[in-house]
Amino acid sequence: MTHDTITRLCLSHVVLPLATEISDAKVFTGRQKPMTEVNFLFCELWTADGLYGVGFAYSKRAGGPAQFAHAREIADNLIGEDPNDIDRLRVMLLWAGASVGRSGVAVQAIAAIDVALWDLKAKRAGLPLAKLIGAHRDSIRCYNTSGGFLNAPLETVLENAARSVEAGIGGIKIKVGHPDPRVDLERLTAVRGHLGDGFPLMVDANQQWDRPTALRMCTAFEQFDLVWIEEPLDAYDHEGHADLARRVITPIATGEMLTSVAEHASLIEHRSCDVIQPDAPRIGGISEFLRLSALASTAGLMLAPHFSMEIHSHLAATYPLEPWVEHFDWLDPLFNEHMRIEDGRMIVSERPGLGVTLSDRLRAWTVDSLELGTR
C-alpha cells in the first residue's frame, strides 16, 4: 500500500488578457460589458514521493479574486494529507467552507485543487488522465466557438470559420441572440452557405430569449440543419428548456452556466436538454464531473463539455456516447503544450496526467500567489 503526503502547494491567481475583446448576446442586450480577460486559479501540489500535480479553475468578467480568496482559506487543510484519497479531500474542503455552500465560487475554488489531485494521481500511475479513468476513444469530435462572436463582422466570422476548417476543426458554432432577429438569420444563412450543407454547425443564444421568442427562433432555425441550439433560455429555466426540447426538432443544449451536480441533476430530471454541457471547473472539478457523467449517460444524453479543453478532452474520452469538445485557443499561452487536431477531431494527450506544463507567460500574468508547506 502506498502512503504519500502532500508537502507543499502553490495557489496562483492569473489574469489572461484576450487579444480581441468579445461580445455575445448578453452584451448586445445590455446585461454585460464586453469581455477583455479571463481570470484563472491555478493549484500546484508536491508530495513527499516527489510527485507534482497541476489543476485550474477560471472565471469570466468577475469572480477570480473570490476564487483565489476562498482557496487560500481552505488549502492548508491539505498539508500532510494523502493525495490518493481525492474524494475524501474534496469533502473535507467542502466542510472547511461549509457556510458558503456547495456551488459557485466555493466549489470552483475546490475544482482547481481537485483537478491537480487527479493530474497527480494519473502521473503516479504513468497514465494520461483519460486512461486512468478508462477511455472509450483516443480522439473526440471538436468544434470552434471563438471565431463567431456577435461583435465580429460577418466577413470576419466567415474568415474565421474557413481558417478553423483548414486547421482541421470538425464543427463551427456561432453566437446568435442579436436584438434584431434578422441579423441572426442573415449571419446564419451566410455561414451555412459558406460551410456547405452537412458540415456540423451549432448556434448559441447565451440565454437571451424569452419562451415565445425562443420557440419562434428555434423554429426558424430548422432550415439550417444545426447540430444543436444552445442556451435559448435562462440557464435555470429547466421547464422552459424541456418544453422546447419536446417541440423543436433541432437538439437543445444547455448546462454550461450551472455550478453544481445538483443543478445538473435537476436539468436531467426535467429532460431539459438533448445535449448536456457541464464545465468541470464550474461544478467542482473532475470528481464531480464523473458523478454527473454517470447520470447523463444513464439518461442517454449527448455530452459537449464547455471550455477548458485541456481538461475536457480527457473527460469526454471516457464518456460512453460519442461526445463533442469545444476548441478555444485562448488558453494556449498558458501552457507549453497545445492540443492536436486532425480530421475534425481533438487528439487526447498521451502524456501522463493532463499532459500540460505551465508556461513562463502564465507566470508573468500572475497577480497574486500563496505557497504553503515546505520545499
Side-chain angles (χ1 to χ4, degrees):
M1 181 178 294
T2 300
H3 290 286
D4 194 8
T5 57
I6 298 169
T7 56
R8 181 165 68 102
L9 66 83
C10 178
L11 301 173
S12 301
H13 176 197
V14 177
V15 179
L16 170 68
L18 299 180
T20 304
E21 73 173 32
I22 62 98
S23 299
D24 57 26
K26 296 187 294 293
V27 175
F28 278 73
T29 54
R31 294 184 175 184
Q32 290 183 338
K33 296 179 180 179
M35 187 164 62
T36 60
E37 62 188 28
V38 181
N39 283 250
F40 289 86
L41 169 64
F42 278 86
C43 175
E44 298 172 86
L45 298 167
W46 291 264
T47 77
D49 285 352
L51 295 173
Y52 166 83
V54 62
F56 66 89
Y58 74 94
S59 61
K60 297 177 180 178
R61 292 184 173 87
Q67 289 179 357
F68 178 77
H70 189 73
R72 182 175 56 197
E73 285 193 277
I74 62 176
D76 63 332
N77 288 282
L78 295 167
I79 300 299
E81 293 288 345
D82 188 336
N84 293 294
D85 301 334
I86 298 176
D87 202 56
R88 180 179 65 81
L89 299 183
R90 180 188 67 82
V91 172
M92 178 182 70
L93 294 175
L94 276 175
W95 279 107
S99 65
V100 293
R102 299 184 183 183
S103 64
V105 166
V107 299
Q108 290 158 12
I110 294 171
I113 298 168
D114 182 86
V115 173
L117 289 168
W118 277 99
D119 179 57
L120 191 153
K121 193 164 194 172
K123 287 173 178 172
R124 184 189 301 279
L127 294 171
L129 177 63
K131 290 292 186 182
L132 178 73
I133 297 169
H136 284 268
R137 58 194 63 84
D138 56 15
S139 67
I140 309 101
R141 295 179 297 183
C142 64
Y143 69 97
N144 180 267
T145 299
S146 54
F149 281 89
L150 276 178
N151 62 314
L154 178 55
E155 182 178 345
T156 301
V157 173
L158 297 178
E159 291 172 355
N160 289 340
R163 191 157 42 246
S164 293
V165 174
E166 291 171 5
I169 301 291
I172 298 294
K173 187 174 79 178
I174 69 167
K175 299 293 187 175
V176 293
H178 195 281
D180 183 349
R182 293 171 297 182
V183 174
D184 285 343
L185 290 168
E186 176 189 0
R187 288 164 71 91
L188 192 47
T189 299
V191 174
R192 170 49 82 200
H194 188 68
L195 294 174
D197 293 340
F199 189 89
L201 176 61
M202 307 83 160
V203 298
D204 183 357
N206 289 110
Q207 310 177 71
Q208 293 310 290
W209 293 326
D210 57 27
R211 291 186 183 185
T213 303
L215 180 59
R216 184 169 62 251
M217 296 304 293
C218 289
T219 301
F221 288 171
E222 295 291 357
Q223 61 184 301
F224 299 110
D225 188 28
L226 301 174
V227 178
W228 68 66
I229 299 170
E230 184 171 330
E231 285 194 327
L233 298 168
D234 184 275
Y236 290 90
D237 185 1
H238 296 169
E239 291 183 357
H241 276 108
D243 184 58
L244 274 182
R246 286 191 298 267
R247 299 173 68 177
V248 175
I249 297 173
T250 305
I252 298 299
T254 191
E256 68 175 62
M257 296 303 297
L258 304 184
T259 62
S260 70
V261 172
E263 292 168 359
H264 278 276
S266 178
L267 192 74
I268 295 170
E269 180 183 353
H270 283 84
R271 304 298 299 180
S272 301
C273 62
D274 307 288
V275 183
I276 196 164
Q277 299 182 296
D279 185 321
R282 278 187 176 163
I283 65 172
I286 291 168
S287 298
E288 292 292 80
F289 189 100
L290 294 176
R291 288 179 58 208
L292 175 57
S293 177
L295 296 175
S297 63
T298 300
L301 298 180
M302 183 190 300
L303 177 75
H306 170 253
F307 206 58
S308 307
M309 61 186 182
E310 293 79 8
I311 298 171
H312 289 137
S313 56
H314 288 277
L315 299 180
T318 72
Y319 195 67
L321 307 177
E322 182 71 23
W324 285 89
V325 168
E326 191 168 26
H327 180 275
F328 269 93
D329 57 10
W330 297 356
L331 277 62
D332 282 357
L334 300 176
F335 305 108
N336 295 315
E337 303 80 13
H338 300 137
M339 304 303 301
R340 185 160 55 95
I341 309 296
E342 291 182 3
D343 300 324
R345 302 181 70 86
M346 186 178 295
I347 310 302
V348 182
S349 172
E350 295 182 348
R351 295 180 292 271
L354 293 176
V356 297
T357 55
L358 306 187
S359 71
D360 291 338
R361 295 178 73 183
L362 179 148
R363 305 295 185 188
W365 286 324
T366 299
V367 297
D368 204 351
S369 63
L370 172 72
E371 285 205 26
L372 296 169
T374 58
R375 293 177 180 270

